[in-house]
Protein backbone atom coordinates (compact mmCIF):
# COMPACT_ATOMS: atom_id res chain seq x y z
CA UNK A 1 0.00 0.00 0.00
CA UNK A 2 1.34 3.43 -0.87
CA UNK A 3 2.21 5.51 2.17
CA UNK A 4 2.33 9.19 1.27
CA UNK A 5 2.37 12.04 3.71
CA UNK A 6 0.52 14.93 2.11
CA UNK A 7 1.66 18.42 3.01
CA UNK A 8 -0.42 21.39 1.88
CA UNK A 9 1.66 24.44 1.05
CA UNK A 10 0.12 27.88 1.17
CA UNK A 11 1.73 31.23 0.60
CA UNK A 12 2.66 32.27 4.12
CA UNK A 13 4.77 35.08 5.43
CA UNK A 14 8.17 33.97 6.71
CA UNK A 15 8.12 35.04 10.34
CA UNK A 16 11.33 36.96 10.95
CA UNK A 17 12.10 39.67 13.48
CA UNK A 18 12.79 43.17 12.21
CA UNK A 19 16.49 42.43 12.56
CA UNK A 20 18.03 38.99 12.08
CA UNK A 21 20.73 38.61 14.77
CA UNK A 22 22.55 35.78 12.97
CA UNK A 23 22.51 37.49 9.59
CA UNK A 24 23.08 41.15 10.54
CA UNK A 25 24.38 41.53 14.10
CA UNK A 26 26.47 38.43 14.82
CA UNK A 27 28.86 39.00 11.85
CA UNK A 28 29.38 42.63 12.85
CA UNK A 29 30.18 41.76 16.47
CA UNK A 30 32.43 38.82 15.58
CA UNK A 31 34.39 40.60 12.88
CA UNK A 32 34.68 44.11 14.32
CA UNK A 33 34.45 43.80 18.12
CA UNK A 34 35.28 40.34 19.41
CA UNK A 35 39.05 40.48 18.79
CA UNK A 36 39.45 42.99 21.64
CA UNK A 37 36.45 42.01 23.74
CA UNK A 38 36.43 38.30 24.52
CA UNK A 39 37.00 36.52 27.83
CA UNK A 40 40.69 35.89 27.11
CA UNK A 41 41.37 39.49 26.03
CA UNK A 42 38.70 41.69 27.65
CA UNK A 43 39.94 45.23 27.09
CA UNK A 44 38.32 47.55 29.58
CA UNK A 45 37.01 44.51 31.38
CA UNK A 46 34.46 44.01 28.60
CA UNK A 47 33.65 40.71 26.89
CA UNK A 48 30.81 40.48 24.37
CA UNK A 49 30.91 36.74 23.77
CA UNK A 50 27.34 36.42 25.06
CA UNK A 51 24.27 38.53 25.72
CA UNK A 52 24.95 38.24 29.45
CA UNK A 53 28.46 39.62 28.95
CA UNK A 54 27.24 42.56 26.86
CA UNK A 55 24.47 43.50 29.31
CA UNK A 56 26.84 43.22 32.29
CA UNK A 57 29.53 45.25 30.52
CA UNK A 58 32.98 46.18 31.78
CA UNK A 59 34.61 48.84 33.92
CA UNK A 60 32.52 51.54 32.26
CA UNK A 61 29.21 49.81 32.80
CA UNK A 62 26.89 47.90 30.45
CA UNK A 63 27.83 47.81 26.78
CA UNK A 64 24.21 47.28 25.75
CA UNK A 65 21.05 48.51 27.48
CA UNK A 66 18.24 46.45 26.02
CA UNK A 67 15.59 48.69 24.47
CA UNK A 68 17.65 51.90 24.75
CA UNK A 69 20.14 52.56 21.90
CA UNK A 70 21.06 55.97 23.28
CA UNK A 71 22.32 54.42 26.54
CA UNK A 72 24.27 51.65 24.80
CA UNK A 73 28.00 52.44 24.41
CA UNK A 74 28.37 49.53 21.98
CA UNK A 75 26.40 51.58 19.44
CA UNK A 76 27.64 55.06 20.35
CA UNK A 77 31.32 54.01 20.08
CA UNK A 78 30.68 52.58 16.61
CA UNK A 79 29.13 55.91 15.55
CA UNK A 80 32.15 58.06 16.47
CA UNK A 81 34.17 59.51 13.56
CA UNK A 82 37.69 58.44 12.68
CA UNK A 83 40.27 59.80 15.13
CA UNK A 84 37.79 60.56 17.92
CA UNK A 85 38.67 59.34 21.40
CA UNK A 86 37.08 55.94 21.99
CA UNK A 87 36.22 55.21 18.34
CA UNK A 88 35.42 51.54 17.78
CA UNK A 89 36.79 49.62 16.08
CA UNK A 90 40.06 51.56 16.40
CA UNK A 91 41.38 50.32 13.04
CA UNK A 92 39.96 49.09 9.77
CA UNK A 93 36.99 50.28 7.67
CA UNK A 94 34.22 52.20 9.43
CA UNK A 95 30.92 50.50 10.19
CA UNK A 96 28.41 51.38 7.48
CA UNK A 97 25.21 53.36 7.99
CA UNK A 98 23.17 50.24 7.17
CA UNK A 99 25.04 48.29 9.87
CA UNK A 100 24.50 51.08 12.41
CA UNK A 101 20.78 51.16 11.59
CA UNK A 102 20.53 47.41 12.06
CA UNK A 103 22.39 47.63 15.38
CA UNK A 104 20.08 50.40 16.62
CA UNK A 105 16.94 48.47 15.60
CA UNK A 106 18.29 45.31 17.26
CA UNK A 107 18.84 47.12 20.58
CA UNK A 108 15.35 48.63 20.37
CA UNK A 109 13.98 45.09 20.03
CA UNK A 110 15.63 44.16 23.31
CA UNK A 111 18.96 42.91 21.90
CA UNK A 112 17.82 39.31 21.32
CA UNK A 113 20.74 36.85 21.10
CA UNK A 114 20.78 33.32 19.65
CA UNK A 115 23.98 31.96 21.15
CA UNK A 116 27.60 32.81 21.99
CA UNK A 117 29.85 34.50 19.47
CA UNK A 118 32.75 32.62 17.92
CA UNK A 119 36.33 33.84 18.03
CA UNK A 120 37.37 35.17 14.61
CA UNK A 121 39.66 32.86 12.69
CA UNK A 122 40.60 35.21 9.88
CA UNK A 123 44.04 35.76 11.32
CA UNK A 124 44.88 32.13 10.63
CA UNK A 125 43.65 32.31 7.03
CA UNK A 126 45.88 32.59 4.02
CA UNK A 127 45.81 35.98 2.30
CA UNK A 128 43.69 34.64 -0.56
CA UNK A 129 41.24 33.13 1.92
CA UNK A 130 40.92 36.42 3.76
CA UNK A 131 40.19 38.13 0.44
CA UNK A 132 37.56 35.51 -0.32
CA UNK A 133 36.03 36.01 3.13
CA UNK A 134 35.80 39.75 2.47
CA UNK A 135 33.85 39.05 -0.73
CA UNK A 136 31.54 36.69 1.15
CA UNK A 137 30.85 39.33 3.81
CA UNK A 138 29.81 41.84 1.19
CA UNK A 139 27.56 39.27 -0.53
CA UNK A 140 26.11 38.48 2.90
CA UNK A 141 25.28 42.17 3.40
CA UNK A 142 23.44 42.28 0.08
CA UNK A 143 21.46 39.17 0.96
CA UNK A 144 20.57 40.44 4.44
CA UNK A 145 19.21 43.67 2.92
CA UNK A 146 17.05 41.96 0.31
CA UNK A 147 15.93 38.58 1.67
CA UNK A 148 13.62 39.52 4.51
CA UNK A 149 9.87 39.26 5.06
CA UNK A 150 9.21 37.23 1.90
CA UNK A 151 6.34 34.87 1.21
CA UNK A 152 7.31 31.21 1.57
CA UNK A 153 5.94 30.44 -1.86
CA UNK A 154 7.22 29.39 -5.27
CA UNK A 155 8.91 32.10 -7.30
CA UNK A 156 10.82 32.58 -10.53
CA UNK A 157 14.06 34.46 -10.84
CA UNK A 158 16.14 35.41 -13.84
CA UNK A 159 19.90 35.23 -13.97
CA UNK A 160 20.85 38.93 -14.21
CA UNK A 161 22.43 39.70 -17.55
CA UNK A 162 21.05 36.54 -19.16
CA UNK A 163 17.69 35.41 -20.49
CA UNK A 164 17.72 32.29 -18.31
CA UNK A 165 14.91 31.95 -15.77
CA UNK A 166 14.76 29.36 -12.99
CA UNK A 167 11.96 28.40 -10.60
CA UNK A 168 12.27 27.76 -6.87
CA UNK A 169 9.61 25.85 -4.92
CA UNK A 170 9.09 25.81 -1.12
CA UNK A 171 10.00 22.67 0.79
CA UNK A 172 8.28 22.72 4.21
CA UNK A 173 10.18 21.99 7.43
CA UNK A 174 9.70 18.46 8.70
CA UNK A 175 11.15 15.09 9.59
CA UNK A 176 12.92 12.63 7.30
CA UNK A 177 13.52 8.95 7.96
CA UNK A 178 16.59 8.74 5.77
CA UNK A 179 17.90 5.51 4.38
CA UNK A 180 16.06 2.46 3.07
CA UNK A 181 14.51 -0.64 4.65
CA UNK A 182 16.36 -3.97 4.40
CA UNK A 183 13.78 -5.45 2.04
CA UNK A 184 13.77 -2.66 -0.56
CA UNK A 185 14.52 -3.99 -4.06
CA UNK A 186 17.97 -2.84 -5.21
CA UNK A 187 19.05 -1.67 -1.77
CA UNK A 188 22.79 -1.20 -1.14
CA UNK A 189 24.60 -1.52 2.23
CA UNK A 190 25.46 2.21 2.32
CA UNK A 191 21.78 3.18 2.60
CA UNK A 192 21.66 2.84 6.38
CA UNK A 193 21.41 2.64 9.25
CA UNK A 194 18.03 4.35 9.04
CA UNK A 195 17.69 7.40 11.23
CA UNK A 196 15.28 10.24 11.79
CA UNK A 197 16.47 13.79 11.13
CA UNK A 198 14.75 17.15 11.35
CA UNK A 199 15.08 19.79 8.66
CA UNK A 200 14.25 23.48 8.48
CA UNK A 201 12.30 24.84 5.53
CA UNK A 202 14.03 25.78 2.28
CA UNK A 203 13.37 26.48 -1.35
CA UNK A 204 14.72 24.06 -3.98
CA UNK A 205 15.19 24.41 -7.70
CA UNK A 206 12.20 22.89 -9.50
CA UNK A 207 14.61 21.67 -12.16
CA UNK A 208 18.28 20.88 -12.49
CA UNK A 209 20.54 23.85 -13.32
CA UNK A 210 20.70 24.16 -17.10
CA UNK A 211 23.41 25.23 -19.50
CA UNK A 212 21.35 28.40 -20.13
CA UNK A 213 21.95 29.34 -16.49
CA UNK A 214 25.44 27.93 -15.98
CA UNK A 215 27.28 28.96 -19.14
CA UNK A 216 27.29 32.67 -18.23
CA UNK A 217 29.31 31.76 -15.15
CA UNK A 218 31.44 29.12 -16.88
CA UNK A 219 32.52 31.32 -19.79
CA UNK A 220 33.22 34.57 -17.89
CA UNK A 221 36.94 33.89 -17.73
CA UNK A 222 37.21 33.99 -21.53
CA UNK A 223 35.35 37.31 -21.93
CA UNK A 224 38.39 39.53 -21.48
CA UNK A 225 38.77 42.35 -18.96
CA UNK A 226 36.38 42.38 -16.00
CA UNK A 227 36.15 45.35 -13.62
CA UNK A 228 38.06 44.19 -10.51
CA UNK A 229 35.80 46.38 -8.30
CA UNK A 230 32.69 44.50 -9.39
CA UNK A 231 31.60 42.15 -6.58
CA UNK A 232 30.29 39.53 -8.99
CA UNK A 233 33.58 39.54 -10.88
CA UNK A 234 35.38 38.97 -7.58
CA UNK A 235 33.89 35.46 -7.35
CA UNK A 236 36.35 33.01 -8.87
CA UNK A 237 35.20 31.47 -12.14
CA UNK A 238 36.19 28.37 -14.12
CA UNK A 239 39.12 28.24 -16.45
CA UNK A 240 37.97 27.92 -20.08
CA UNK A 241 36.85 24.35 -20.82
CA UNK A 242 39.24 22.33 -22.95
CA UNK A 243 36.48 20.44 -24.77
CA UNK A 244 32.84 20.96 -25.71
CA UNK A 245 31.28 20.23 -22.33
CA UNK A 246 27.84 19.12 -23.53
CA UNK A 247 29.57 16.37 -25.55
CA UNK A 248 27.18 17.04 -28.42
CA UNK A 249 24.05 16.22 -26.40
CA UNK A 250 22.52 19.71 -26.59
CA UNK A 251 22.59 23.05 -24.79
CA UNK A 252 19.25 24.90 -24.73
CA UNK A 253 17.06 23.55 -21.93
CA UNK A 254 19.42 20.70 -21.07
CA UNK A 255 21.10 20.16 -17.69
CA UNK A 256 24.62 21.52 -17.18
CA UNK A 257 27.01 18.61 -16.60
CA UNK A 258 30.53 17.49 -15.74
CA UNK A 259 31.34 20.17 -13.19
CA UNK A 260 33.15 19.46 -9.92
CA UNK A 261 31.48 20.05 -6.58
CA UNK A 262 33.74 23.09 -6.26
CA UNK A 263 32.46 24.52 -9.56
CA UNK A 264 28.83 23.94 -8.55
CA UNK A 265 29.39 25.69 -5.20
CA UNK A 266 31.15 28.68 -6.78
CA UNK A 267 28.26 29.00 -9.24
CA UNK A 268 25.93 29.18 -6.22
CA UNK A 269 28.09 31.95 -4.75
CA UNK A 270 28.18 33.82 -8.06
CA UNK A 271 24.40 33.55 -8.42
CA UNK A 272 23.95 34.75 -4.83
CA UNK A 273 26.11 37.80 -5.55
CA UNK A 274 24.07 38.58 -8.67
CA UNK A 275 20.61 38.11 -7.15
CA UNK A 276 20.98 39.07 -3.49
CA UNK A 277 19.53 35.73 -2.37
CA UNK A 278 21.52 32.97 -0.68
CA UNK A 279 21.87 29.85 -2.84
CA UNK A 280 23.94 26.73 -2.18
CA UNK A 281 24.05 23.02 -2.87
CA UNK A 282 21.65 20.87 -0.81
CA UNK A 283 22.90 18.68 1.97
CA UNK A 284 22.39 14.97 1.41
CA UNK A 285 19.54 14.95 3.95
CA UNK A 286 17.83 17.93 2.30
CA UNK A 287 18.12 16.26 -1.08
CA UNK A 288 16.53 12.97 0.07
CA UNK A 289 13.80 14.77 2.01
CA UNK A 290 12.87 16.84 -1.05
CA UNK A 291 13.04 13.83 -3.36
CA UNK A 292 10.71 11.77 -1.20
CA UNK A 293 8.20 14.62 -0.85
CA UNK A 294 6.57 12.77 2.05
CA UNK A 295 6.89 9.24 0.65
CA UNK A 296 8.69 6.43 2.46
CA UNK A 297 8.66 4.15 -0.56
CA UNK A 298 11.42 3.39 -3.05
CA UNK A 299 10.38 6.21 -5.37
CA UNK A 300 8.48 9.41 -4.69
CA UNK A 301 5.54 7.95 -6.63
CA UNK A 302 5.52 4.46 -5.05
CA UNK A 303 7.29 1.09 -5.16
CA UNK A 304 6.72 -0.03 -8.73
CA UNK A 305 9.58 0.81 -11.15
CA UNK A 306 7.18 0.09 -14.03
CA UNK A 307 5.88 3.65 -13.53
CA UNK A 308 9.36 5.15 -13.71
CA UNK A 309 9.15 6.20 -17.35
CA UNK A 310 6.46 8.75 -16.48
CA UNK A 311 8.76 10.44 -13.96
CA UNK A 312 12.34 9.94 -15.11
CA UNK A 313 14.89 9.68 -17.89
CA UNK A 314 16.98 6.55 -17.42
CA UNK A 315 18.66 3.91 -19.55
CA UNK A 316 15.45 2.34 -20.82
CA UNK A 317 14.04 5.57 -22.32
CA UNK A 318 16.83 8.18 -22.53
CA UNK A 319 18.24 7.33 -25.95
CA UNK A 320 21.69 7.12 -24.33
CA UNK A 321 21.94 10.84 -23.49
CA UNK A 322 20.51 13.44 -21.15
CA UNK A 323 17.17 15.08 -21.96
CA UNK A 324 15.63 18.56 -21.49
CA UNK A 325 14.83 19.32 -17.87
CA UNK A 326 11.27 19.40 -16.60
CA UNK A 327 9.74 17.19 -19.27
CA UNK A 328 8.72 14.36 -16.93
CA UNK A 329 6.09 14.44 -14.18
CA UNK A 330 7.19 16.22 -10.97
CA UNK A 331 6.98 14.76 -7.49
CA UNK A 332 4.36 15.85 -4.95
CA UNK A 333 6.31 19.01 -4.12
CA UNK A 334 6.74 20.14 -7.73
CA UNK A 335 10.32 18.96 -8.30
CA UNK A 336 11.18 17.52 -11.72
CA UNK A 337 13.94 15.00 -12.49
CA UNK A 338 14.73 14.08 -8.90
CA UNK A 339 14.79 10.58 -10.35
CA UNK A 340 17.17 10.29 -13.29
CA UNK A 341 18.40 12.58 -16.08
CA UNK A 342 21.64 13.47 -14.21
CA UNK A 343 23.10 12.60 -10.84
CA UNK A 344 23.10 15.68 -8.59
CA UNK A 345 25.79 17.01 -6.28
CA UNK A 346 25.17 17.37 -2.55
CA UNK A 347 27.40 19.12 -0.01
CA UNK A 348 28.28 15.99 1.96
CA UNK A 349 31.31 13.77 2.09
CA UNK A 350 30.53 10.13 1.40
CA UNK A 351 30.45 7.77 4.36
CA UNK A 352 29.67 4.04 3.94
CA UNK A 353 27.24 4.36 6.87
CA UNK A 354 25.19 7.39 7.86
CA UNK A 355 26.76 9.30 10.72
CA UNK A 356 25.14 9.32 14.15
CA UNK A 357 27.36 11.87 15.90
CA UNK A 358 26.27 14.84 18.04
CA UNK A 359 23.87 17.19 16.28
CA UNK A 360 23.40 14.87 13.33
CA UNK A 361 19.63 14.70 13.86
CA UNK A 362 19.00 18.39 13.01
CA UNK A 363 19.97 19.78 9.59
CA UNK A 364 22.86 17.28 9.30
CA UNK A 365 25.82 18.03 7.06
CA UNK A 366 28.86 15.75 6.80
CA UNK A 367 31.33 18.42 5.67
CA UNK A 368 33.97 17.16 3.26
CA UNK A 369 37.53 17.14 4.59
CA UNK A 370 39.24 15.29 1.74
CA UNK A 371 39.23 15.30 -2.05
CA UNK A 372 37.30 12.06 -2.41
CA UNK A 373 34.70 10.74 -1.99
CA UNK A 374 31.64 13.01 -1.88
CA UNK A 375 27.97 12.25 -2.41
CA UNK A 376 25.85 12.53 -5.54
CA UNK A 377 22.19 11.54 -5.66
CA UNK A 378 19.30 10.65 -7.95
CA UNK A 379 20.62 8.43 -10.74
CA UNK A 380 20.93 9.43 -14.38
CA UNK A 381 20.10 8.79 -18.02
CA UNK A 382 22.84 6.15 -18.03
CA UNK A 383 21.49 4.08 -15.09
CA UNK A 384 18.97 1.32 -14.51
CA UNK A 385 15.94 1.78 -12.27
CA UNK A 386 17.48 0.79 -8.89
CA UNK A 387 19.98 3.68 -9.04
CA UNK A 388 17.07 6.14 -9.29
CA UNK A 389 15.51 5.24 -5.92
CA UNK A 390 15.11 8.00 -3.32
CA UNK A 391 17.67 6.35 -1.04
CA UNK A 392 20.28 5.46 -3.65
CA UNK A 393 23.72 7.04 -3.13
CA UNK A 394 26.94 7.29 -5.15
CA UNK A 395 30.45 8.33 -4.16
CA UNK A 396 32.58 10.63 -6.31
CA UNK A 397 35.79 9.20 -7.72
CA UNK A 398 39.03 10.50 -9.22
CA UNK A 399 38.31 8.39 -12.31
CA UNK A 400 35.77 11.04 -13.25
CA UNK A 401 38.75 13.17 -14.40
CA UNK A 402 40.51 10.51 -16.46
CA UNK A 403 40.36 12.39 -19.79
CA UNK A 404 41.45 15.67 -18.22
CA UNK A 405 44.73 16.59 -20.02
CA UNK A 406 45.84 19.13 -17.42
CA UNK A 407 48.47 18.50 -14.75
CA UNK A 408 47.40 18.98 -12.07
CA UNK A 409 43.84 18.01 -12.96
CA UNK A 410 41.29 20.82 -13.23
CA UNK A 411 39.44 21.95 -10.11
CA UNK A 412 36.44 22.80 -12.29
CA UNK A 413 35.61 19.86 -14.60
CA UNK A 414 34.89 16.14 -14.39
CA UNK A 415 35.50 15.22 -18.01
CA UNK A 416 34.30 11.63 -17.55
CA UNK A 417 31.04 12.42 -15.75
CA UNK A 418 28.67 13.30 -18.56
CA UNK A 419 25.82 12.18 -16.31
CA UNK A 420 26.57 14.56 -13.42
CA UNK A 421 24.83 17.87 -12.68
CA UNK A 422 23.23 19.74 -9.76
CA UNK A 423 20.37 21.85 -8.48
CA UNK A 424 20.35 24.52 -5.78
CA UNK A 425 18.53 25.25 -2.53
CA UNK A 426 17.84 28.48 -0.68
CA UNK A 427 17.36 28.10 3.10
CA UNK A 428 14.68 30.19 4.80
CA UNK A 429 17.18 31.09 7.55
CA UNK A 430 19.92 33.41 6.36
CA UNK A 431 23.14 32.07 7.93
CA UNK A 432 26.07 34.16 9.18
CA UNK A 433 28.77 35.08 6.66
CA UNK A 434 31.15 32.48 8.13
CA UNK A 435 28.60 29.76 7.45
CA UNK A 436 28.08 30.97 3.87
CA UNK A 437 31.83 30.87 3.39
CA UNK A 438 31.92 27.26 4.61
CA UNK A 439 29.14 26.18 2.24
CA UNK A 440 30.65 27.86 -0.82
CA UNK A 441 34.25 26.87 -0.09
CA UNK A 442 33.97 23.41 1.45
CA UNK A 443 35.63 22.08 -1.71
CA UNK A 444 38.25 24.84 -2.03
CA UNK A 445 41.75 23.45 -2.36
CA UNK A 446 40.42 19.92 -2.25
CA UNK A 447 38.73 19.42 -5.64
Amino acid sequence: MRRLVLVTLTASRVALPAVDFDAEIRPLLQERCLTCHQASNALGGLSIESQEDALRGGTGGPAVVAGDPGASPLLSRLMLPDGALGTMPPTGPRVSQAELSAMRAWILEGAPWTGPLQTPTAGAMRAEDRAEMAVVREIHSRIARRSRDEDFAAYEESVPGDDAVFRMVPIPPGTLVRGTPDGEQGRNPDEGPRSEVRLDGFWMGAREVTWDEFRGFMLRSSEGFIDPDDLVAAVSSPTPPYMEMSFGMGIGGYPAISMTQHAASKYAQWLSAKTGRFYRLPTEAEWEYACRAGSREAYSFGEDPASLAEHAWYWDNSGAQYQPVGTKRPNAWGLHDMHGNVWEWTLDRYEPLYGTGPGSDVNPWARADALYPRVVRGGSWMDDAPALRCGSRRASDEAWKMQDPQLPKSIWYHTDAQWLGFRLVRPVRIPPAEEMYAYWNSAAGKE
Side-chain angles (χ1 to χ4, degrees):
M1 178 181 296
R2 184 178 181 186
R3 300 180 299 279
L4 183 64
V5 179
L6 296 179
V7 177
T8 301
L9 295 176
T10 58
S12 59
R13 187 69 63 181
V14 178
L16 292 175
V19 178
D20 186 327
F21 176 81
D22 284 330
E24 299 175 82
I25 305 303
R26 179 186 295 276
L28 175 59
L29 296 178
Q30 288 185 165
E31 296 160 15
R32 312 302 297 279
C33 306
L34 192 58
T35 300
C36 297
H37 298 290
Q38 53 188 292
S40 62
N41 182 32
L43 295 185
L46 172 62
S47 169
I48 58 166
E49 288 184 304
S50 68
Q51 183 188 50
E52 181 182 4
D53 289 343
L55 296 177
R56 181 175 58 248
T59 56
V64 173
V65 177
D68 191 347
S72 299
L74 180 65
L75 176 63
S76 60
R77 291 291 188 92
L78 292 173
M79 297 174 67
L80 291 173
D82 283 334
L85 182 64
T87 297
M88 296 294 171
T91 60
R94 304 305 303 147
V95 175
S96 70
Q97 183 61 48
E99 290 172 320
L100 292 172
S101 296
M103 177 75 73
R104 181 179 182 277
W106 169 69
I107 295 173
L108 280 171
E109 290 177 358
W113 209 292
T114 60
L117 304 184
Q118 297 177 350
T119 304
T121 58
M125 287 183 170
R126 299 174 302 166
E128 56 266 37
D129 294 332
R130 290 197 296 273
E132 173 68 23
M133 187 68 221
V135 172
V136 170
R137 286 171 184 152
E138 180 56 37
I139 296 173
H140 180 275
S141 295
R142 290 188 180 184
I143 292 169
R145 289 194 296 269
R146 178 182 183 186
S147 300
R148 290 173 52 190
D149 202 29
E150 293 190 75
D151 288 339
F152 189 42
Y155 67 90
E156 289 189 346
E157 183 152 61
S158 61
V159 179
D162 294 322
D163 295 329
V165 176
F166 59 94
R167 179 177 175 81
M168 302 294 292
V169 299
I171 308 300
T175 300
L176 164 71
V177 178
R178 63 178 178 177
T180 57
D182 291 341
E184 184 168 295
Q185 184 177 358
R187 183 184 190 273
N188 295 308
D190 65 354
E191 296 170 21
R194 302 189 80 189
S195 61
E196 186 173 282
V197 298
R198 299 193 306 277
L199 295 159
D200 294 334
F202 56 94
W203 287 269
M204 184 176 237
R207 301 174 178 86
E208 294 152 340
V209 172
T210 65
W211 283 120
D212 309 86
E213 301 159 49
F214 189 71
R215 290 181 84 220
F217 165 71
M218 185 180 78
L219 300 178
R220 282 189 316 128
S221 56
S222 60
E223 292 175 350
F225 176 76
I226 301 176
D227 182 356
D229 294 324
D230 177 34
L231 178 62
V232 175
V235 179
S236 58
S237 58
T239 53
Y242 34 82
M243 58 180 64
E244 200 281 299
M245 295 305 294
S246 80
F247 298 88
M249 292 188 289
I251 297 292
Y254 291 92
I257 59 168
S258 300
M259 73 290 296
T260 61
Q261 189 199 59
H262 176 67
S265 288
K266 298 311 283 186
Y267 170 79
Q269 181 180 350
W270 175 80
L271 185 66
S272 299
K274 296 200 74 161
T275 63
R277 287 188 169 118
F278 173 53
Y279 294 106
R280 62 165 169 80
L281 291 176
T283 64
E284 189 177 11
E286 288 170 338
W287 192 98
E288 184 173 332
Y289 176 66
C291 179
R292 290 189 179 280
S295 172
R296 292 194 179 185
E297 298 178 297
Y299 304 95
S300 62
F301 52 84
E303 293 284 359
D304 189 0
S307 301
L308 195 56
E310 300 176 28
H311 300 265
W313 295 108
Y314 66 121
W315 186 250
D316 287 358
N317 68 353
S318 67
Q321 71 161 61
Y322 62 38
Q323 296 295 327
V325 301
T327 53
K328 292 294 185 178
R329 292 177 61 181
N331 70 7
W333 287 346
L335 302 171
H336 297 264
D337 301 312
M338 294 297 283
H339 305 296
N341 211 17
V342 292
W343 287 92
E344 299 179 11
W345 277 115
T346 72
L347 279 170
D348 294 55
R349 69 178 182 268
Y350 174 83
E351 294 179 329
L353 298 175
Y354 284 127
T356 56
S360 63
D361 60 338
V362 180
N363 298 318
W365 173 31
R367 183 174 177 178
D369 54 7
L371 178 56
Y372 298 106
R374 299 176 186 175
V375 182
V376 298
R377 288 294 208 118
S380 77
W381 57 267
M382 199 173 180
D383 292 292
D384 295 319
L388 278 63
R389 292 171 300 110
C390 296
S392 176
R393 311 169 70 213
R394 183 170 182 176
S396 66
D397 192 279
E398 60 184 338
W400 297 1
K401 292 177 179 286
M402 191 174 297
Q403 294 181 68
D404 184 351
Q406 300 184 99
L407 292 175
K409 301 290 188 181
S410 171
I411 66 171
W412 300 102
Y413 304 110
H414 277 309
T415 49
D416 294 81
Q418 296 92 6
W419 29 257
L420 174 64
F422 69 106
R423 76 178 71 214
L424 297 177
V425 299
R426 177 192 165 203
V428 169
R429 183 184 75 87
I430 303 171
E434 292 81 5
E435 199 172 317
M436 289 184 180
Y437 178 91
Y439 286 129
W440 290 333
N441 293 281
S442 64
K446 304 185 182 80
E447 270 284 19

